[in-house]
Amino acid sequence: MTETLATARQLPTPDETWWRQAAVYQIYPRSFADSNGDGIGDLPGITSRIPYLAELGIDAVWLSPFYPSALADGGYDVDDYRNVDPRLGTLDDFDAMTQALHAAGIRLIVDIVPNHTSDRHEWFREALAAPKGSAARDRYIFRDGLGPDGAAPPADWVSTFGGPAWEPVGDGQWYFHFFAKEQPDLNWNNRQVHADFQQTLRFWSDRGVDGFRIDVAHGLAKDLGQDLPSQAELDATPKDGNHPLWDRDDVHDIYAGWRTVFNAYTPARTAVAEAWVASDRRARYASADGLGQAFNFDLLEADFDAGAFRDIITFNLGLAAESGSSTTWVFSNHDVVRHATRYGLPARNGDTAKQGSAWLLSGGTVPRLDAALGLRRARAATLLELALPGSAYLYQGEELGLQEVADIPAGQRQDPSFFRNPGVDMGRDGCRVPLPWTRAGASFGFGTGDAHLPQPAWFAESSVEAEDGVADSTLSMYRAALALRSRLQAAESLEWLETGREDVLAFRRPNGWTSITNFGTDPFTLPAGEVLLASAGLLPGSLPGSLPGSLPGAATAWLQL
Ligand code: NOJ
């Protein structure tokens, strides 16, 4: 069956708009499928699972970094941007994977990490070996330390992962890193840096890559004089386009250059910005003369609440219209607690900095997780998402309804944010545990040996094998939803429908495809129409013989009206 699917879905060529309403599936390659039993997922592992991806019904894969890396930050510390980590395969394996994805009708987006290299990158090695003031050091952000012999850091800045953001190199100079110390920030005022990244974009585009996900897209441009502000001053500076470090207006000059590279291909290569900026500044990243699309994390940061969802959807559709782009929707990725778990924890009420962190710190015991409610809400939210105009970015394992793994022992954790914030941040390993493919066997079918992060026993019943062909499984719901989504695809707009209830949201796409979500607990009587799919079993109608019945709480139904 999968063979037929794989050959039936050929890519329409050339299609310049494929990305606008694509369902994109994020693969965190080291945790997806391990073909050689070394405990680390790899590219041949991905290729072997393409029939699964085709059957799932996604339009594109977004591949997190697969480049050579010491894994100081899960691969976001890149040693060489134009190669494959030998533990993950070779360039030939990459080409084989790309061709097989395309043959299955699936496009490929790769992650580009332009804000920083790893400290093992040849440029950084050269910079360390070169003297102060050299051209090699100018590719990074070096400054003299303060005090006698430059023994004190140039500023008291704190890194995003905690701890100091400046690291001494032993000769009185220090380098800046937004993230881990193994991730020195590049100097985007240096022309060589621009030229080299454009070469990288061409390198992967020439190999057939369809698009790029741009890591920390709002961090590249920096304006640092010799007198650096304090962390308190930085914190007090508005992020209005002139902040010394974040979301500067001049970052878009970089992307204008990249757009020229993208548009030299047919179809034009696409890009999506990872930019955690204020919502009203997102449109610049998504403009047609820039990256073209930007992640919108507003729903990811919201509680499961009808009013919040409605406001966010309306606002973001407006923003998309303003930029000429399509909007994007995300509930889970490799950086946040999985949404099936978030929704089973107490509401955050806007305290997004603490997404699930208290629960993770307790090893998953306090507060009590209502995993069943979390999954039920996650399924409802996902069906709502997949009916919205715009692109949906899905994270590997959410189609299995996976929960976060909270109780990974400290000795087996990998995320630098855990090590740099002892006792304060448990890090992101819990959403990066290798996928369970089978109920039993070494690493639940992920590979033939142990997985690089420990998998809990409960993964067995969330495995692909356990859910495959089971009518009410989360996997079956995702497959059905994605198949319907591609069949029902409509113009990029929606009309809100009056439901008479504040906790019930309903919208209709121009072709009559209608999504209704009950965020509350009281059943909601559905209007007459054909029910296409529901995230939970419907209840009998309140009137004898009435059709199609009632939508229970924490559930979504799709109807054709
Ligand atoms: C954002 C990525 O999603 C995250 O995983 C990474 O740690 C940082 N950028 C630094 O590259």
Side-chain angles (χ1 to χ4, degrees), residues 459-473:
F459 259 31
E461 289 315 310
S462 292
S463 63
V464 175
E465 181 185 29
E467 297 198 18
D468 188 25
V470 175
D472 62 358
S473 73

Side-chain angles (χ1 to χ4, degrees), residues 303-323:
D303 287 322
F304 187 75
D305 177 84
F309 269 53
R310 180 171 173 150
D311 290 349
I312 288 169
I313 293 165
T314 303
F315 176 75
N316 281 286
L317 290 176
L319 271 191
E322 192 187 303
S323 66

Side-chain angles (χ1 to χ4, degrees), residues 510-532:
N511 58 0
W513 174 20
T514 300
S515 178
I516 305 179
T517 303
N518 184 351
F519 288 81
T521 49
D522 293 342
F524 175 77
T525 303
L526 291 169
E530 181 196 357
V531 177
L532 303 168

Side-chain angles (χ1 to χ4, degrees), residues 322-407:
E322 192 187 303
S323 66
S325 183
S326 64
T327 193
T328 59
W329 308 107
V330 189
F331 284 116
S332 281
N333 63 31
H334 66 297
D335 288 333
V336 297
V337 170
R338 286 186 176 278
H339 66 294
T341 298
R342 284 201 317 267
Y343 288 147
L345 292 170
R348 290 167 288 166
N349 295 320
D351 191 359
T352 51
K354 293 207 162 34
Q355 334 202 17
S357 63
W359 177 78
L360 281 173
L361 282 168
S362 75
T365 53
V366 183
R368 196 179 65 81
L369 170 71
D370 188 338
L373 178 65
L375 177 58
R376 191 180 167 88
R377 288 177 168 172
R379 288 170 57 122
T382 296
L383 266 204
L384 179 154
E385 171 191 31
L386 291 176
L388 288 171
S391 317
Y393 284 82
L394 312 171
Y395 177 52
Q396 69 181 34
E398 68 168 80
E399 78 278 18
L400 303 173
L402 282 189
Q403 299 279 342
E404 186 85 0
V405 183
D407 53 357

Side-chain angles (χ1 to χ4, degrees), residues 73 76 116 161 179 213 215-216 274 334-335 428 432:
D73 180 20
Y76 285 87
H116 44 266
F161 288 157
F179 298 94
R213 177 264 189 192
D215 190 63
V216 205
E274 187 224 17
H334 66 297
D335 288 333
R428 301 160 295 179
R432 300 175 178 183

